[in-house]
Amino acid sequence: MGMDTQGVTAILRCGGHQLALDRPRIMGILNITPDSFSDGGSYHRVEQALAHARAMVEQGADLIDIGGESTRPGAQPVALEEERRRVLPVIEALSTELDVPLSVDTMKPELMREAVAAGATLLNDVNGFRAEGAWEAAVAAAREKGVALCAMHMQGEPQSMQQAPHYEDVAREVGEFLRDRREALVRAGVPGEQLLLDPGFGFGKTLEHNLALFHALPVLADLGSPLLVGVSRKSMIGALLGDRPVQERDAGSAIAALLAAQAGARVLRVHDVAGTRDALALYFALTPQAWRGSRQP
Ligand code: HH2
């Protein structure tokens, strides 16, 4: 299958930025959690985050996703005040310096509003804007500030979601959830070109569920909004490579990102930007039919 747009909106508008989605875009992950940086105090932490974000943009990141709360299985929730302290100074500093859309990865409505005021132009909510007040905050930001929204599917909550995930038909149920979210957001007045959908790999899903979803990507990519896929360093990659530890999953992650793009994903959320960029570049260079409807990265 080529990487043509399958009838999907070919533009993503994030505030003042417009991203053409005629080729897959790379979203670099910037985690601002205590274990992501050597801790030399808050000034030091902001400096390290800025350096990492700059490096990812130099390597080819088209967007940066900034998160202050880990949503790894079993992770404990972070208080609003702490999440604020982690992400807002970084968003403020990056928005004056970098010319790429900044996404904030949060489930909290207060932080959504404050992050947008600080310069974020994409709200990425792994909870699909279901927390109290999140829907209103996201819709208002989208309508009034032109901010883009990424609605992801998750079953359960990060603390317990991997205990007993259950579906009759995971691809159908996730597809229905995403379609409903999309329709409701459009009905609430959010323009289609400000929307991304995400099946939420690893969020209340067993390996079998993740595989079924991956196989269904061409169908999910056809729901009417561009698809974001995040499989980078996740346990499914580790499991498929024989219990590979997290620090050795980058090659597998780049290949999985490429396969997701081939199946229709338009935004790839990754840790290893350079590796993903290279995988895409080789795909475009070496696969003649990839040129149909797409430009070289
Ligand atoms: N996965 C994680 C966090 N945010 N957002 C979207 N839209 N899609 C994802 O798949 C997704 C996401 C996983 O988060 P975590 O386990 O905290 O680690 P990391 O942020 O390093 O990926």
Side-chain angles (χ1 to χ4, degrees), residues 246-258:
V246 69
Q247 61 280 12
E248 292 171 28
R249 292 180 191 164
D250 279 357
S253 298
I255 292 170
L258 171 62

Side-chain angles (χ1 to χ4, degrees), residues 27 29-31 33 65 67 69-73 75 105 124-126 150-152 161 197-203 228-234 269 271:
M27 171 186 264
I29 300 170
L30 186 63
N31 280 325
T33 47
D65 187 39
E69 177 175 39
S70 175
T71 46
R72 257 168 226 135
D105 190 343
N124 174 27
D125 184 353
V126 298
C150 177
M152 199 193 84
M161 66 191 178
L197 300 175
D198 183 344
F201 285 96
F203 284 85
L228 184 152
V229 164
V231 289
S232 183
R233 295 184 186 167
K234 285 191 179 168
R269 183 181 179 278
H271 299 89

